[in-house]
Amino acid sequence: MSGSVQVVQKLQEQHQLQQHHQLQQHHQLQQHHQLQQHHQLQQHHHQQQRRYESSYHLSTKSSVSKQSFSTYKTSSHRVKTSVKTEKVQQELKLSPLPKRAKRTYLAMDKDKEVIGYVIPVFRANHDVVRGLMEAQEEDVTEEGINYVAMRNLFVREAREALDVKVEKKTRTKYVRESAERLEVNRTWAEFRKKMNPDNLTHRPEFIVKPRGQTVWEGKTVKLHCTVAGWPKPKIAWYKNNVLIDAKAHPEKYTVESNYNMHSLEIKNCDFFDTAQYHISALNVKGESSCVATIVVKSSISETCLAAGESSSSFPLFSFFCTDGFCAEHGVTFETTIIDKFEVAFGSEGETLSLGCTVIIFPTVKRYQPDVVWYRNSVPLKPSKWVHTHWSGERATLTLVHLNKEDEGLYTLRINTKSGFETYSAYVFVRDAEVEVEGVPVAPLDVRCHDANKDYVVVTWKQPAVEGSSAILGYYIDRCEVGTHHWAQCNDNPVKYARFPVTGLVEGRSYIFRVRAVNSAGVSRPSRVSEPVVAMDPSDRARLRAGPSAPWTGMIKFTEEEPTVGVVPGEPSDVMVTEATKSYVVLAWKPPVQRGHEGVMYYIEKCMSGTDTWQRVNTAMPVKSPRFALFDLAEGKSYSFRVRCCNSAGVGEPSVSTGEITVADKLDLPSAPGNPVATRNTDTSVVVSWGASKGVTQLVGYYIDCSVVGTDVWMPCNNKPVKQTRFVCHGLTTGVNYVFRIKAVNAAGYSQSSPNSDAVVVKAAICECPHQNSFPVFTLPVACKPFCFPHSVLLIDNSSGVLLGARPRRRLKHCVPKEHEPNEHLVWLQRPVPGKPTGVTLLEAVKDYMVLGWTEPANNGGADIRGYFVDYRTVKGNIVGKWHEMNLKALTTTTFKAENLKENVFYEFQVRAVNMAGVSKGSVPSAPLECKEWTITVPGAPVGLHVLEVRDTSVVVLWEPPLFDGRSPVNGYYLDIKEASAGEEGWKAVHEKTNKMKYMKVTGLKAGTSYVFRVRAQNIAGVGKPSATLGPILAQTRPGTKDIYVDVDDDGVISMVFECSEMKEGSEFVWSKNYQAITDTSRLTITHERGKSRAIFNSPSLDDLGTFSCVVTNTDGISSSYTLTEEGLKRLLDISHDHKFPVIPFKNEMAMELLEKGRVRFWTQVEKCTSACQVDYVFNDVIITQGKKYTMNFDKSTGIIEMFMDSLEVTDEGTFTFNLVDGKAKGTTSLVLIGDEFRELQKKSEFARAEWVRKQGPHFVEYLDFTVTPQCDVLLKCKISKKDAGIYEVFLSDDRGKDKSTFNLTDAGKLFRVIGDEIQVTSTEHGIILYSMVTHYNEDLRVGWLHKDAKIAASERVKSGVTGEQLWLKINEPTEKDKGKYTMDIFDGKDGVKRVFDLTGKAWEQAFEEFQRLKYVNKLIRLDPYRARVVGGLPDVVAIQEGKSLNLTGNVWGDPAPEVSWTKNEKALVSDEHLMLKFEHGKFASITITAVTTSDSGKYALLVKNKYGAEAGEFTVSVYNPEDEEKEEKKD
C-alpha cells in the first residue's frame, strides 16, 4: 500500500512540473495580450451584472474559478503540511488590523483576465461574529476601498501568514514554487489596478431564498436565506408588511445575521403567526426582497371543525394582534397597571385567578399589547393547568386545580411598542386536607431526566410536611399515555428523591407520579410529570430540531465493507453516575465497531475479593447505554463491566469500573444557621438565616412557624426556596411567632435550625426615642447575622428589643450620658477585609517598577483604608524573605516600587487594611524583572472589575494604563474567553476601538464562566493585555432586582433600587455613565431599609444617560438604567397625569327622550371610588334634587343620571356634571340651545300629550279616507280592541253639519285573528317554533300538530303564549322531532292554520345552532366569576288588577354585574309606575304600582359582566275579578 502511494506521489510531481513549464510559456505569450484587452475588459464589466459571492465563484459551473484556485489549493496544502513551529504571536493574532494576507482571491476567466474577487468563508463562534457585526461600521468610505477589501476579505489568512517554517527543499521544488509565487504576485498586481468602487459594488441578490413552511401550533419555525451584495446590505424582516422589531419582543422573535446568512426565528407559533414574511435587503446599489408564507395549523380548531362546530363556538378566544407593533408610527404608549392582585393564598385542588386592569394611552384601534405572565421569572405557557385571558383592558391568569408547583412569585408584564410595565406578587399554595390523620402530604415537582430507549430517571422534591412521623420513603408510579392504569415501579420505598425507572417499551410515552409514605400511611399522589417518550436521545434531538439552514457543503461517498455478521466491539467509558444504598446507575458509550444494526448490552458484576463475573440481566439485554442495578448488598464493593451483543454474537467486555462501594454518596445537608425574624408588615415577617455549610445539590429551604406557647408548627412555604431570606405572609397581627428552618436535598431533610427569637407581628418602622428625625427598625436582640456600621445599639432591658442602631457621630447627645437607665450600649465587631487579587506589572524602568492590583471582593464590613506592599527577591528557584515596601498605607490600587536593582527578579504581594485590621497577603505575583521597557505601545490597563452580572450579560470596567507609550491612549479592546478554554480561546468582543472605560458584554451563556482582559491602543499600536479578570460566572443571583422608575402621586420621577442582602457597612453608590455624580443639583438620593431612591429634581435632556447603582460590601449587587430621550418624554407625560389626574369617562354626557315626555341626561365613568362626588350644574348654577330634577349616581356601574319631567323655555342652556374623586377631577357637558333645544322641547311635549291621549280610548290610526273603484268615499280608522265603546263622527261645512254614531261595544264581531308564518329559532335549551298573531284574546284555542298528530304537552315539548306570540318549545331535540308542524288557531267561528316543515336544511341549521349555543353556555357557566341570577324570582306571578307587585332577584358576579330589565324583550326604564333598583351589588328589585292588564307579559332580569351574562325570566299575569265573574255568568 505504501509503495503505491509513493509511485502516485512521484507521478503527481512529474505532472505538476510539466504544468509549470507549460504555464510559463503560456504566460509569456499572453502577457502582452492581457495588457491590450485591459480597457476592453473594463467596458465589458459595465455591461454585465456584478453579483459575486463565494458560493458563485466556487461552484462547479465556472471552470475559470477552478483554474484560478488550483494553484491556491496546492500551495495552501503545502504550507499547512510543512509548518512545524507552534509559536504564535498573541498580540498580532488578536489585532484588529492584520498587516498582510498570503492567499489570492481573484476570479479569472480562461484568458487569465481578472473579472472579480471571491469572498472567503469566515469561521468563528456565532456569538463572537454577532458582536463583530454589531460593532462594524456600516458605511464604506471612499478613501479605504482597497483597505476594506484587504482587511475584511483576507483577515482569516493573517494568522497563517505569521507561521514560520524551516525546511530543506530540492531545486526542482524551489523552482516550481517560485514560478507559482510570481504568477500570483503578477495577477494580484493586475487586480489592484482594476480595483475601484465600480468593480466592487453591486445590488443585493438572494443566493438562497427563504422557503414557506407549515408548522403545528406551539412549535418554533426558522426562516433562512443567503444574501450577496456590496456594500453589505441592510436586512429587515416584515410580517404582512409590518416591520418586525425583534429587540422589543425577544421572547417571540430572534433575528440573526452571520456573514451573508440571515435567519428569523419565530418561537411558540400560534394562529396569529400565519402570515407572509418579507425580507428586504438594501444597499446603495438597490434593493431586493423575497417572501415566504408561514402557515400555523391548530389541532384545536381542526378538532372543532371536524365535530361540526363553527369558529364562533369559542367566544373565550380573543383575536388580536400579538406581534406587539402598532400600525400608527410615532405613537408613544403609556402603560398603567391598576387593580393589582395582592399576595394570594390557595389550597391544592382549588382554582385561583390573578388579575390586573391595564390602561394603555392613547387608545389605537385594533392595537393590543403583548401580555406575558411569569412564575419565578419563567414565562408561563397556556396549558390545562394555566389559563390566561386578555379582555382588552384586564389581564387574568387562572390557575386550575392548584398544586404546590404553582407556588412562587408571579409577574405580569405588559409589552408595548414603547416599552413594558410589570407587577409582581407572591402566591402561596397550602396542602389539601389529608384523608388519613398523620400521613405526609404529596411530594412535588416530579420531573423526568436522561430518558433513553428503556430507561428514565425520575426526580422530585420532598414535601414541607412529613406528617406525624418521618417519611420512610417514596413510591413511584408510572402510566402509559392513553391509558388509565398506574403501575408501581418499586416494591420497597426509596429514601432518595431520585429513582431510575427501567423496563420501558421503546417508542411509548409515559407519565409518572410519586407518593410519600410514613408509619401512618401513604400520601396522596403528586401532580403527574410531563409525558416522556422512551427513545434514543439522538432521535429525540432530531425530532425537536427545527428547520436548519440550507447545507452548502459536499458529501463524499465511499464504499464500506459489509457489516452484516460483525460482532460489536467493547463499550467505552463505563462509569458509575449514581450510587446509593438502594441502587447503582451505570453509564457508558456505545462501541465504535457495531455495524449497521443496533446493539444491546449485557451488564456484569463482580464482588470485591472474588474473580467471578456474574451477568446481571441474563433474561433480556438492555437497549440504552444506561442501567440501574438493584438488590446490591449495602456496604459491599463491586466492579462492573459491559458487553455488547447483536445478531452476530456477544462482544468482548469493557474495561472494569473499579471497585464501587454501595452507599449513599450524597450526605444530608447540615442544619441552617440561626434564623432572625424581622418585622415587616402587620401580617408578614422577614426571616433570614445562615446557609447550610458544605451542602451539595441543595434543593432549597422550608420555613416553619409556631405561635409562642404552642408546639404546633405550620409551614410558611410549601415549595422550597434557595435564598436565605424569605417573607412569611398570612400571619396574625399582634401574635408572637418563632421560626425555624430546615434544608433539603435529594438525600432528605436536614436537622431543623435553632428557633428564632420571638417576634410580634406588626409594622416594622418605629421612631427612635432620642432622634425622631431618624426612623429605625425594631429588631430582636439576637442580631449576630446582621452587620451594622460602627454604631451604638440601644436595647431595652425590660423587653430585650433593639430600639435603634445609629452611627456614633449621629448620637453624640445620646451616648453615653443621656441614654435611658434601662438601655444598654453595644459595640459591634467586624472582620478584616479579604485578600487583594491580580498583582501585575504596569511599567518597568531601570530602578523602579509600577505595580497594580484589584481590591478585595469583601471589605469586611468597613471601607478599605489602604494597602501595604511586600516584596522579595527571586534567584532561580530560591526565594528570599518578605520585606515591607511602604510604612504608610496606600490609598490607591497602584504603587511605584523604587530603589530596586536592575536585571533582578522580584515577587510582590499586597495586603488590605480596614478599621478592624490587616488582611492576609495576596497571592504572590509572578517573578518580575526590573528592566526598562523600550516598547512604544501603551501598558496594560488596570483595575478590571465587573458589575451587573446576569445570565447573558455583564458590564466590565477598567482604568487606563499608567504607561501610555509614546502617544496618548486612543482606545481599548476587550477580549473574552470561556474559563475552561485554552489560550487559543481568546476572542475579541468588538472590532472597533472603544473610547470608553467600560463595556457591556452581551450574548453570554447562562451558567458558563468567563475571563476577560483589556488591551490599550495608541498610534503606535496595541499594548499588552491586562491581568485576566475572572472567572466570572454568568448567572443572575437569586433575588437580584433591577432599577425601576417610579412616578408617585405627586408626579415626582425617581429611580429605585432595592437590595435585600445589606450587610454591615453596605451602602448604595449611584453613578452616571459609570462615573461618580459630581452635579448633585440634578438628583436627590435617599435611602431607607434596603432601598435607595434617586429623585430627579428637574428632569430634562441633561439627565439622559446610563445611571447605575452599586451596593458596597456585597457580592457585586448592582444594576443600571438607561434614560433615553423617548423614555424621558414618556415619564414626563406620566408625571403630568399624576399631578393633574383626570377621571376618565366611558361616554360623554348624552340625552334621551323617555315615555311621558321625560328627558334623561346621563353619562358613565370608567372607574371611581366610593368617595366620588358629583355636582349637577345648569348655566353655571348648581341644581339639587326636587320636583323638577331627579338625580341618581350608581357608583358600582359609574352611571350618572338626571331626569326632568318636561322641558320649559327657561331650560335652554348648558347642562354640566362636575366630578371630584380625591385629586382627580372630571367634567362633561351638553349644550341645548337654539333650534336643537326647541325641537327637543316639541318632541317632549308631543310625547307627553300622546301618553295622556292613550290613557283612554284612542285611535291607533286617525280617520282617513279611500276612494273605492265604485267612486265611493270610504272613511276608515284603526282602534285597539281594548277601546270598545260608542264612537261618533261629525261632518260639517257651510251648508250644515251631520253626525254618525256607531256602537262598538260588541267588539268581538269586528276583530279577526291574523297569524304570521311560522318561524324557527334556537336557544341553548332547544328549538322554538313561533308565530306572531294580531288581536289575540283568551277565547282563542291554539293547537299544535306534529305529522298531523296532536302534540301532547310534556316537560320536553311545551306550548304557550307570550303577548301576541304563539310558541312551541322543543327541549333537547332529536332526530325524532323532524317533520311537518301545524299550528291551528280557532276563535269559535273561523280558524287559521300555519304549517312549517322542520326537515332538511331548516332542521340542520336549527340543530347546529342549538349545539353551538349549548356549548358556549357550558363554557360560560364553568367560569365561577360570571354574572348569574342565583334565586329570588318565581316562574309565574298571578296578581289582581290594582294591586302592587314587588319582586327581588339575587344576583352574583365578580366584578359586580350590570343589571337591566326587559318586558316582552323590550328594555324597561324606571319611572313612577315602574321602579327599578340595584342595591349592594347583589339585590335587583322591580316594583309595579297599581298593576293593570297592560302590565301582563314576559319579564326578564338580565345580568352581565365581562365573564358572561344570564337572564332570569318570569311571567306576570294580571286578572280582573269582575271580568271573570262576567265570563262565568255567560257560561
Side-chain angles (χ1 to χ4, degrees), residues 609-656:
T610 66
D611 296 327
T612 303
W613 287 93
Q614 179 184 357
R615 183 169 294 178
V616 177
N617 54 330
T618 56
M620 179 66 68
V622 297
K623 299 179 180 180
S624 304
R626 303 281 191 280
F627 188 77
L629 291 87
F630 299 91
D631 300 328
L632 299 177
E634 183 178 354
K636 299 291 184 179
S637 297
Y638 294 85
S639 298
F640 305 95
R641 67 184 186 186
V642 182
R643 292 177 183 263
C644 298
C645 66
N646 60 9
S647 59
V650 180
E652 292 297 323
S654 66
V655 178
S656 172

Side-chain angles (χ1 to χ4, degrees), residues 358-379:
V358 181
I359 299 176
I360 300 178
F361 181 83
T363 302
V364 178
K365 189 177 182 181
R366 293 193 302 275
Y367 174 77
Q368 294 291 340
D370 185 17
V371 180
V372 185
W373 288 88
Y374 296 81
R375 182 197 294 132
N376 296 330
S377 302
V378 177

Side-chain angles (χ1 to χ4, degrees), residues 1002-1232:
T1002 59
L1004 304 182
K1005 300 177 183 177
T1008 304
S1009 296
Y1010 295 88
V1011 293
F1012 303 88
R1013 70 183 186 188
V1014 182
R1015 295 170 291 135
Q1017 174 185 274
N1018 62 7
I1019 296 177
V1022 181
K1024 291 183 178 181
S1026 66
T1028 58
L1029 170 65
I1032 304 298
L1033 179 63
Q1035 184 178 29
T1036 303
R1037 289 169 48 91
T1040 297
K1041 298 182 179 180
D1042 292 327
I1043 295 176
Y1044 65 90
V1045 179
D1046 176 58
V1047 183
D1048 62 14
D1049 294 339
D1050 296 327
V1052 177
I1053 303 173
S1054 60
M1055 297 177 294
V1056 181
F1057 183 49
E1058 299 179 0
C1059 176
S1060 59
E1061 301 182 16
M1062 301 288 288
K1063 299 180 181 178
E1064 179 186 1
S1066 296
E1067 295 182 356
F1068 292 95
V1069 179
W1070 288 84
S1071 61
K1072 182 178 181 182
N1073 296 328
Y1074 297 100
Q1075 295 181 354
I1077 298 177
T1078 56
D1079 187 3
T1080 57
S1081 63
R1082 307 298 308 170
L1083 290 175
T1084 299
I1085 299 176
T1086 61
H1087 309 294
E1088 54 175 309
R1089 295 201 62 191
K1091 179 188 295 185
S1092 180
R1093 184 183 298 270
I1095 304 171
F1096 290 99
N1097 296 331
S1098 179
S1100 66
L1101 295 178
D1102 295 335
D1103 295 314
L1104 302 183
T1106 300
F1107 293 87
S1108 61
C1109 185
V1110 179
V1111 183
T1112 61
N1113 196 27
T1114 61
D1115 295 336
I1117 296 178
S1118 57
S1119 181
S1120 63
Y1121 177 82
T1122 301
L1123 182 62
T1124 61
E1125 185 174 354
E1126 181 181 359
L1128 178 62
K1129 292 180 180 179
R1130 179 178 62 86
L1131 291 173
L1132 291 175
D1133 292 340
I1134 297 175
S1135 175
H1136 182 271
D1137 293 342
H1138 285 204
K1139 287 181 181 178
F1140 310 101
V1142 177
I1143 299 176
F1145 287 88
K1146 282 187 177 180
N1147 305 97
E1148 294 295 331
M1149 184 188 293
M1151 178 275 304
E1152 59 180 334
L1153 196 61
L1154 306 179
E1155 193 180 9
K1156 302 182 185 179
R1158 299 182 74 203
V1159 180
R1160 174 180 180 247
F1161 299 90
W1162 71 281
T1163 187
Q1164 186 176 12
V1165 296
E1166 290 187 0
K1167 185 181 179 182
C1168 63
T1169 66
S1170 59
C1172 185
Q1173 300 294 330
V1174 183
D1175 287 336
Y1176 304 86
V1177 179
F1178 173 65
N1179 289 343
D1180 299 331
V1181 177
I1182 297 178
I1183 56 179
T1184 57
Q1185 185 159 330
K1187 294 182 179 180
K1188 186 173 184 178
Y1189 301 102
T1190 303
M1191 290 86 165
N1192 180 40
F1193 181 15
D1194 189 345
K1195 296 180 181 179
S1196 61
T1197 61
I1199 296 177
I1200 305 172
E1201 300 173 301
M1202 183 177 74
F1203 298 92
M1204 297 177 62
D1205 291 336
S1206 62
L1207 284 178
E1208 301 176 358
V1209 177
T1210 56
D1211 295 326
E1212 182 177 4
T1214 302
F1215 294 86
T1216 304
F1217 293 165
N1218 290 332
L1219 284 76
V1220 178
D1221 191 357
K1223 291 177 57 177
K1225 297 180 180 180
T1227 300
T1228 181
S1229 301
L1230 181 65
V1231 179
L1232 291 178

Side-chain angles (χ1 to χ4, degrees), residues 737-1021:
Y737 284 88
V738 293
F739 299 85
R740 70 182 184 187
I741 318 295
K742 58 182 176 183
V744 61
N745 64 2
Y749 303 90
S750 72
Q751 295 293 328
S752 297
S753 69
N755 295 348
S756 70
D757 289 331
V759 61
V760 179
V761 180
K762 64 179 182 180
I765 296 180
C766 68
E767 296 295 329
C768 175
H770 298 272
Q771 279 188 292
N772 293 331
S773 60
F774 293 101
V776 298
F777 297 107
T778 312
L779 302 175
V781 177
C783 56
K784 292 182 181 180
F786 288 92
C787 295
F788 295 87
H790 190 221
S791 309
V792 174
L793 300 186
L794 303 177
I795 302 176
D796 190 286
N797 274 340
S798 58
S799 64
V801 172
L802 177 66
L803 299 177
R806 279 292 166 266
R808 185 177 177 86
R809 61 180 181 275
R810 294 187 181 179
L811 298 174
K812 291 180 180 179
H813 65 284
C814 292
V815 295
K817 296 180 180 180
E818 298 180 9
H819 69 280
E820 297 296 329
N822 58 344
E823 291 177 352
H824 289 301
L825 303 180
V826 181
W827 297 83
L828 299 181
Q829 299 294 327
R830 254 180 244 84
V832 296
K835 300 178 184 179
T837 57
V839 181
T840 56
L841 178 63
L842 305 179
E843 183 183 0
V845 191
K846 291 183 179 180
D847 58 348
Y848 72 87
M849 289 188 287
V850 179
L851 307 173
W853 58 88
T854 303
E855 64 182 11
N858 180 18
N859 62 6
D863 294 337
I864 301 295
R865 293 189 173 185
Y867 301 91
F868 293 99
V869 179
D870 301 335
Y871 76 98
R872 66 183 178 186
T873 58
V874 179
K875 294 181 180 180
N877 295 328
I878 302 175
V879 296
K881 295 183 178 180
W882 288 107
H883 302 279
E884 295 180 355
M885 292 211 71
N886 58 310
L887 299 178
K888 185 178 180 180
L890 306 172
T891 58
T892 63
T893 56
T894 59
F895 177 66
K896 182 178 180 181
E898 297 180 305
N899 301 323
L900 303 178
K901 295 180 181 180
E902 188 176 4
N903 299 327
V904 175
F905 286 86
Y906 294 90
E907 287 184 355
F908 300 90
Q909 71 176 14
V910 183
R911 302 171 185 268
V913 60
N914 67 359
M915 62 182 303
V918 181
S919 73
K920 296 181 179 180
S922 66
V923 176
S925 67
L928 305 173
E929 184 179 8
C930 185
K931 182 178 179 180
E932 184 172 4
W933 284 356
T934 58
I935 58 178
T936 58
V937 295
V942 297
L944 272 69
H945 60 284
V946 295
L947 295 176
E948 303 170 31
V949 180
R950 301 294 187 266
D951 285 340
T952 59
S953 64
V954 66
V955 177
V956 183
L957 302 94
W958 61 87
E959 296 296 331
L962 298 180
F963 179 70
D964 289 344
R966 292 186 178 179
S967 60
V969 173
N970 57 18
Y972 301 91
Y973 291 98
L974 176 62
D975 300 335
I976 184 176
K977 79 177 183 70
E978 293 186 8
S980 59
E983 287 298 316
E984 67 279 0
W986 284 106
K987 301 171 185 177
V989 175
H990 54 101
E991 184 178 359
K992 286 183 58 179
T993 57
N994 176 32
K995 305 294 183 182
M996 310 302 294
K997 292 182 291 185
Y998 63 89
M999 173 167 282
K1000 185 172 185 178
V1001 183
T1002 59
L1004 304 182
K1005 300 177 183 177
T1008 304
S1009 296
Y1010 295 88
V1011 293
F1012 303 88
R1013 70 183 186 188
V1014 182
R1015 295 170 291 135
Q1017 174 185 274
N1018 62 7
I1019 296 177

